Structure formats: structure tokens, C-alpha cells
Amino acid sequence: MSNTELPDDELRQEQQFVDGLYARVDALRGDAEVSVTEALAQGHTPRQARLERDILVAERSGLLAALNAVDGSLCFGRIDLTSGGTHHIGRIGLRADDTERTPVLIDWRADVARPFYLATGHTTMGLRRRRHISTEGRRVTALHDEILDLGDDTRTGHEDPTGDAVLLAALNSARTGRMGDIVRTIQADQDRIIRAPHRGVLVVEGGPGTGKTAVALHRAAYLLYEHRELLARRAVLIVGPNPAFLGYIGEVLPSLGETGVLLATVGELYPGVRTTRTDTPEAAAVKGRAAMADVLADAVRDRQALPDPVIAIEHDREILMLDDGLVNVARERTRAAGLPHNVAREHFEGHILNALTDMVAERIGTDPYDGSNLLDPSDITQIRDELADNPEVWSAVDRLWPRITPQRLVADFLAAPEEYLSDEDAAAVRRPVTRHWTVCDVPLLDEAAELLGEDDRLARERAERERRTQIAFAQGVLDVSYASRTFEFEDKEDADPDSSEVLSAHDIIDAERFAERHEEDDHRSAAERAAADRTWAFGHIIVDEAQELSPMAWRLLMRRSPTRAMTLVGDPAQTSEAGGVGAWADILAPYVEDRWEHTRLAVNYRTPAEIMDAAAAVVRAEHPDFEPPGSVRSTGVRPWVRATDDLAGAVADAVAELLPEEGRLAVIAPRALHRGLAARLDGVTAGAEPDLAQAVVLLDPRQAKGLEFDSVLVVEPGRYGTSDLYVALTRATQRLGILHAEALPKGLVDVV
């Protein structure tokens, strides 16, 4: 066969292989759906059986998610070994049938697939060729071969001289409003981060466009693959900066076959509260300080009151006086136990009851002649029980050591913060008691919940009553079963004399175990259970835009990661939140000191060099030593800057100019301008969470964090801080325009 015929033959062979894979996929879809249904229907109550079910559901649900998303690129690569074998690489692993030990398609996360991402001509890792397979739906459209063993002179006609054709095609493709996976184009430095050890804290720093978010998501997929049992049980938490960002990344992990993940913003990490409301920068800065933990602790201690000056309790026609000295002894003894406020109340109750009991016993049981106590222990117990039935005693306890909810504590503090804060700080955070929480309130609520704890005695008593009711019902069922069996044998004239040896339900199970077997099983996934449980400990936590979180938000997250298995992703140069910590050492020192790893992504894949130069100039105007990540591509299209007297009209004209035939355009403008701009843009709404699937979206700089668009129009850049402007200017993959009616910031003057 001539060389000119080889390309068609190569394409035909790969198409036949892909067709065989999809035949297997179609068969697996039904099997996976059945297995998930069966697993969820099983009423497992023992812990190990539930864990096994969770693992099966996670695996099969992930497989279904992947199968439903694979039409784009089920198989995307092949590696040819110098030893003569070949391996096809894909987003999931597939076997020809259930009896085959060796997959016909290797999961990209498997060790054997790693040379696909790491091998070079210098370090071949046993490969002679790497092939990238491009597809549209189920049709193979192109092959791109890289020769790694230069001593092998076999050629297919599909050689890619630079080895970058697939990567550049992905970078230049039109955006859809949803992040795509990078499983086909993972670079060597990204692969090392993705496969880093699970334990400990890993910090991934990278400027705009370096792919740090994609790397973090693929790391989550890899960890779920590598540590399936642990993470099926504990789940993975991914924290993002805003709901729009979570919607943007929401399809990546399902496309990689992983569903055991909880995606949330900080405003969603306190069960029962979901908020996107924001504070003023001044209020956010105050609420985010680590000192707020001490402030709330002081607020709790102030609720542990003393009488002013006494509390009179009528009991058995006598008046018992609780004075501040007696109550203070009870309070200090209770505090010494070191328990959360609501949990400690039981101890305080006991101290108060004991003090009142001693008071009554001294009055009625003291011998008038020698002063001895005439009461025996049973008399003392009776007095205590009678006091425990006195409503006035409990009214006094409620005044002195009230039960408090986190919501009440935080709301009362914010309504009157001047007792705990300076006049300036108090003015920043003060607000009337309201049901509306802000994102910065959520860490305060979590801190309050930690300080208060939960007095679960009533819940335990209710659960015990329900358990006894179920046992009584189960006993009734067993009794009916036994009676029916007895009647059956007594009614038969020819009953077998040995029938008494036949086992009944009574003989093999008691009512308590019978009731346990019929307890309702919890069919929620680990991620769903975690979302409803404030005390849940996640198997791994990934935080995107980590530099933006406040010290109080970090306290919340660290409670959810007692093992400190975390991946933190961000860029201190993009810190814009008033309460953001920014510096990695400042974030981590209180929790792990210097026991964390730092790595940096230094290559910008998203932003063309022309746009990156303009963005870097803005930062250098304030920080002359700033060095941005280097861009891998240049489009030859420089960003433009235009002044205008009719801002809304100029924006409408610029949108028409910049809007690509395929892809997405973002108009990034100060929030105060959104309503006026939206009135001039068809289909664009102000004030709502943006729908990133629309051709044109209107955002402010902080909503744009982590997102990317084909074209971007930045409006009134002089109103932004340096970090916000840097973010806004680096969202474009192709074209950038800048419109202003006011003065330009210093760094942009030279771009004109």
C-alpha cells in the first residue's frame, strides 16, 4: 500500500475501534441504570453494607454520567509502545465484556495512561508514538501523531510537526458558556498537580488563563478514581466564588464520570441558609476578621447571666433565693467543663438543682438541737425531683443560661454590635434584626453553632419514644405470626407431632431486631448527606479563588476538613474581596503552620499575548516588579480603547462589533451601570444571576472571576480597583474592547 493510502486506512481503523466502543457503551447504559436502581432499593442498615451500596451507586452513577457525555470524545488518544503494544486512552475505562481483565479503553487516570501526558522525545517513557484522535459525535474526523522514538521511521501521514495542533484547536474553539474538560490536552505540569498525593494541603497558584480551575477539577476526578472507597463515603467538596462560576464548571466532573462531589459557595455551607447577598466592603472586612471568633465567644458568655440581685422562687409555700454568689459558683463550675453553651446547660441545671436542694434540705431537715441533718438519701432525692417539677425553677434557669440558636445570637449581635466593636466597625456591620443573611454572615453562623453546640436531649427522647413504638409494633406483628401458626397446627386433625420443631419468626428474631430491619434507609448520596450536615468531615476539599476567603471563612472550611486534605487554587494578584486573606502563609499558618506544598502554573493558555500585555501594564502601574504568566499564543489582534460621550449607545455598537458568529461575549461593567446598559442590549437582564449560555452576558468584575469568553467589552475601567480590572481584562480568549467616558486608569493610558 502506498503512503498516500495510509491516512485513509488509519482513519478507517480508528473508526472501527470507536464503533466497537460505542456498541459496548450502548449495552452498558441499561446495565448501569438497573444496578443503580437495585442498589438504591436495597434496605441496608449495617454500616458496611451501606458503604458498599454507596460505592456501587457512586461508580454506576458516575459511569452513567460519563456515558451520557461521551458522544464528544469517548476515545481521544492512543499510545504505541516500543515493545509493540498499543493502548487507547479515553475519559472512562471499558472492557470488551465483563470477563475481560484488560480494558480495551484505558481510563485517562490509570497509571498506564500517564505517558500519554508526560512522554517527550527526550523521555519517551517506553512510547514510540502518541496519537490524538479528534471526533465529532461518534465520527473520527482527524488524527494527530507525534513521533517520540526518532529511530522509528514509520510514518502515517498524520504527523503533527509541533505536537500542539490539538491544544491550539481547543484554545481557539468557540466558548459555549460552560467549561469543558481538558482531559485530551492535559500538559505535563498540570498532570503532576492532578496526580499529587491526596493527603495534606496543596496550594496551586497561577495567573489568569493558566488552567488552575480545570486542573483542580481534574484533580478531584483523579482522587475519586484513586481513593474510591474513602471518597465515596466522605465525598469531595468544591468551593467556588459565586453561583455563576459553579454553574459554569458544573458539567466538567459528570463528563469525567464523577458525581460524588458537592459544589457550593461559602454562602451555601450552613445548612438551611442559601444566600448570594453581599455586604459593603467595610462590613465584609469587619465580619471576616479572625477576631470575630472572640467577639462571638464574648457574646455567648454574656448570655450566661447572674441575678440582679436575686431571683425568688416559690416552692412548697417557701421562698428560695438564688443570689449572684450562688449562681456564679454554678456558672464557673459549668464553664470549667469546656463544653459548648447549649450542651453545658445540662450541667448548669444540675448545679442549680443541687444548690436549691441543699437549701430546702437545710431548712426542713436540720436538727434544732445539734444541727445535724435528719434526712436520708431518699429524702434528698425526693426533694430534688420535686424541685425539678417546679416551673419557676426552669424559668430561672432559662433567664440565667438560656438555650440560644446560632441565628438568634448572630442577629442580636448585628442589631447591637457597639458593645463588642469600635464605633466605626459597629457602624459598618449594624443592621436591624432580619431574616436575610449575607455571604459574610455564614461563617459567623457556623462559628456561633460551634460555640453553642446542640442540646439534643429532646431529640434523643423523641427518637427513643419512636424506637419503642416501632418495637411494640414489631412485637405485635410477631405475636400475630405466632398465633396464626399455632392456630394452623391446632386446627389440623392430622397435625405432625413434630410440628413444634418447625421454626417460626419468634424463634429466630426478637422484636427489637425485627424493628431495626425495617428502619427506613437513607438513600441520599454522600454529597447530599454532607450538604445537610454542618459537622460533616469531607474526604477532600478543593477551594477555587482561595485568596478571596476571609479568616472566618477559613475557620468554617477547616472544621469540615479535620485531616487537612485540601487543594487550594488561586492567585494573590487577583485578590479583590475586602476580607480576603491573599497571602498563602497567612491563610495556612494557624492550621498547618508551614506543613503545606506550593506549586505554580506559569503558562497562560487562555489569554493571547496582546491582551495579556495590556492587563499586565495595569498591575505594573502599581507593582512595577509584577510578572504575568507567559501566553502560549498570539492572535495578532490588539485590544482597543475608545472614549465616548454616549456610553450606553457605544456599548450597544461595540457589542454588535465584538459578538462572534459562534461563542460568547461578556460585557463587564460596574454594577451601578447595569440597568442602563441592559436597556440597550437585546435579551440581557440586569440584577439577575447571569445565564452564561446566552450569547451576551452582563457581569461585574467579581461575577466574572474564573470565567472565560471569546470576546470581552470592559466598560468604565477607571471605576475598578487594580485587582478587579486585572480580572476583567483577562477573561477574553480572542478579542478585547474597552469603553470609557471617565478618565482611564494609569496603566491603560499607554494602550490607547
Side-chain angles (χ1 to χ4, degrees), residues 462-476 511 515:
R462 183 169 58 251
E464 179 61 20
R465 287 195 301 271
E466 292 176 356
R467 190 180 77 88
R468 293 189 178 281
T469 299
Q470 291 296 327
I471 291 174
F473 176 77
Q475 185 64 58

Side-chain angles (χ1 to χ4, degrees), residues 218-408:
H218 287 69
R219 174 161 170 73
Y222 172 76
L223 293 176
L224 286 160
Y225 172 86
E226 190 71 8
H227 305 281
R228 178 70 64 194
E229 181 171 342
L230 169 66
L231 298 182
R233 181 174 71 250
R234 302 308 316 166
V236 172
L237 170 65
I238 296 179
V239 180
N242 54 59
F245 173 83
L246 295 182
Y248 176 65
I249 69 171
E251 295 177 5
V252 174
L253 285 169
S255 77
L256 298 174
E258 299 300 344
T259 57
V261 177
L262 175 63
L263 276 67
T265 65
V266 171
E268 298 169 320
L269 288 177
Y270 187 85
V273 174
R274 293 178 65 88
T275 181
T276 59
R277 292 173 178 265
T278 57
D279 284 287
T280 64
E282 296 78 13
V286 174
K287 291 180 180 181
R289 294 174 189 160
M292 285 302 302
D294 294 329
V295 168
L296 292 176
D298 289 342
V300 171
R301 289 174 67 87
D302 287 347
R303 297 296 189 95
Q304 299 162 1
L306 296 176
D308 184 22
V310 296
I311 296 176
I313 297 173
E314 182 178 352
H315 181 73
D316 199 19
R317 296 187 297 277
E318 297 277 349
I319 299 298
L320 306 177
M321 307 297 287
L322 279 176
D323 60 32
D324 59 353
L326 184 151
V327 173
N328 190 51
V329 170
R331 184 175 72 170
E332 293 308 311
R333 288 177 177 174
T334 302
R335 286 175 173 175
L339 297 172
H341 172 88
N342 288 334
V343 178
R345 176 183 158 113
E346 185 175 1
H347 292 255
F348 182 76
E349 295 168 359
H351 290 309
I352 294 297
L353 282 172
N354 289 342
L356 293 172
T357 299
D358 291 344
M359 201 180 297
V360 173
E362 184 177 356
R363 289 187 182 183
I364 68 175
T366 303
D367 189 311
Y369 297 104
D370 60 11
S372 62
N373 196 306
L374 303 176
L375 302 178
D376 61 27
S378 64
D379 296 325
I380 300 297
T381 300
Q382 183 178 350
I383 293 171
R384 196 179 193 280
D385 290 344
E386 290 171 353
L387 284 164
D389 289 334
N390 186 338
E392 292 193 25
V393 172
W394 296 110
S395 177
V397 171
D398 286 339
R399 290 169 58 187
L400 300 170
W401 199 286
R403 291 186 178 91
I404 314 171
T405 66
Q407 290 85 342
R408 173 53 56 189

